[in-house]
Amino acid sequence: MTAGHCFHDGDRNRVGGVPRYGTTARLGTANTADPAAGVTRSVVWVEQSGTTDIAVTQLDAPVDGVTPLALNTQKPVRGQILTFAGWGATSSTGSWSDQLYWGQVKVAGVRPSTVQVVGHWPAPDTSACPYDSGAPYFMPRTGSAPLLVSVESDGPACPHSSQETTARVDPIVGWVRGVVTDLPPA
């Protein structure tokens, strides 16, 4: 699962099906500088949500040893703390990062298909940056897989202390389970 806008045509319109350009997913590592770390898979198919900026992708081969996040089925609550992780830049003018970064945000607002979040930890300007689109926002749970609440969609130049827009997962859980029929229960 990632941001729907990551898959687009030449006019930046979201598209599904076979990706228009080669796309890979790197799983099972926090540092991509080591080419032997983790697993790399090609994205071979994309399904776009019709109601939010989320796409579900099919990879060219299964991935063993990586537990997927459980899908949140409850409406997020204002003040709730979420963790996010991303491979994006660390500034508005930076490039991709080889190192996975993470931080915490607080839910500032909930709309029908989005969640607005603001920085919480380690600083009030903790935020997503360029190339973080699709980054997961999740709630850790003791003894269970974390719950995926939303994915990165859009925000101001980073770092910033303004609201960041993320795409909610809970309204589309039924659609996701219809596309990915072998997901484990929450």
Side-chain angles (χ1 to χ4, degrees):
M1 184 177 292
T2 190
H5 72 261
C6 291
F7 298 93
H8 54 81
D9 63 15
D11 294 323
R12 310 289 297 172
N13 298 309
R14 293 177 4 174
V15 295
V18 176
R20 305 260 194 287
Y21 43 86
T23 305
T24 58
R26 189 80 176 267
L27 302 105
T29 185
N31 190 325
T32 61
D34 177 1
V39 173
T40 301
R41 296 286 187 261
S42 293
V43 174
V44 297
W45 190 262
V46 177
E47 292 286 339
Q48 292 276 357
S49 165
T51 60
T52 193
D53 186 20
I54 289 179
V56 175
T57 63
Q58 179 183 356
L59 304 178
D60 63 346
V63 177
D64 295 322
V66 176
T67 303
L69 297 176
L71 302 177
N72 181 47
T73 59
Q74 303 297 312
K75 181 178 179 180
V77 177
R78 189 180 178 101
Q80 189 172 25
I81 303 297
L82 304 175
T83 300
F84 79 99
W87 298 97
T90 56
S91 73
S92 289
T93 57
S95 61
W96 292 92
S97 172
D98 288 330
Q99 179 64 48
L100 182 67
Y101 288 95
W102 68 278
Q104 290 183 322
V105 295
K106 185 183 293 187
V107 173
V110 179
R111 296 187 179 141
S113 63
T114 62
V115 178
Q116 278 57 53
V117 297
V118 294
H120 178 71
W121 182 90
D125 66 351
T126 299
S127 60
C129 283
Y131 313 112
D132 274 330
S133 290
Y137 287 78
F138 58 94
M139 293 185 323
R141 301 185 299 171
T142 304
S144 297
L147 284 175
L148 180 62
V149 174
S150 60
V151 300
E152 175 59 27
S153 186
D154 190 31
C158 74
H160 67 81
S161 55
S162 300
Q163 290 186 6
E164 188 82 19
T165 301
T166 71
R168 282 175 58 183
V169 169
D170 61 295
I172 63 165
V173 168
W175 171 79
V176 173
R177 290 195 175 283
V179 173
V180 185
T181 57
D182 60 348
L183 281 176

